[in-house]
Amino acid sequence: MKTIFLLIALVPLTWACVDRGNNAKEGEESDVYESEEADNNDLIDNDKLDQAFTTSPYFAKWDTNGDKTISPEEFYKDYFTMLDQNKDNVLDNPEWQKGITSYFGENGKIRYGKFTDWDSNGDKQVQPGEFQEKMKDAKYFKKWDEDGDGKLTEKEFSEEVFAKWDTDGNGVIESQEYEEWDKKVGNF
């Protein structure tokens, strides 16, 4: 059974993030979609997703200093880590391409530029600092930070994740939307 952790993505991101495998510890939710979709109507609304965040350890994984908020530095670091598939602390072109396309769609490459735009020192790798600077330039964190206080609350974070998953914008996540998102970002 897969353990679903909700991102940004990234999420934007969606940040939605999916942790594969049977990694749930005793007492943890093992599948957020199935557990939050308890009324069996194949729909998750924003309130259900918000409840999933408050009962899961996912937000705490992004809130590395434990202050109940996610700072821009935590956000960019965790986002970078998620995209760094081989865990070598750099993004090569294929990792970058996959991350930009998965989380931002084909328009992500247009909106956020080319790999060479992100590789400011020309070494054919995107370092964490280069990644953070480009994300700051794109004002990506500010989009998630609804109240503009420079930090993300669980509610702000879950609302942005919800918006990424609710691809048709009808206010609920249907099982088809969930499955499509899961397929798209399932390797992250």
Side-chain angles (χ1 to χ4, degrees), residues 45 89 127 154:
D45 63 19
N89 204 37
Q127 312 293 325
E154 271 185 305

Side-chain angles (χ1 to χ4, degrees), residues 70-100:
I70 298 172
S71 70
E73 292 75 23
E74 289 169 317
F75 183 78
Y76 296 133
K77 180 180 181 253
D78 289 335
Y79 202 103
F80 179 90
T81 300
M82 181 177 54
L83 298 183
D84 182 16
Q85 294 284 281
N86 63 6
K87 306 301 178 211
D88 63 354
N89 204 37
V90 295
L91 300 179
D92 59 24
N93 195 336
E95 287 173 320
W96 181 85
Q97 291 286 341
K98 183 178 180 185
I100 292 295

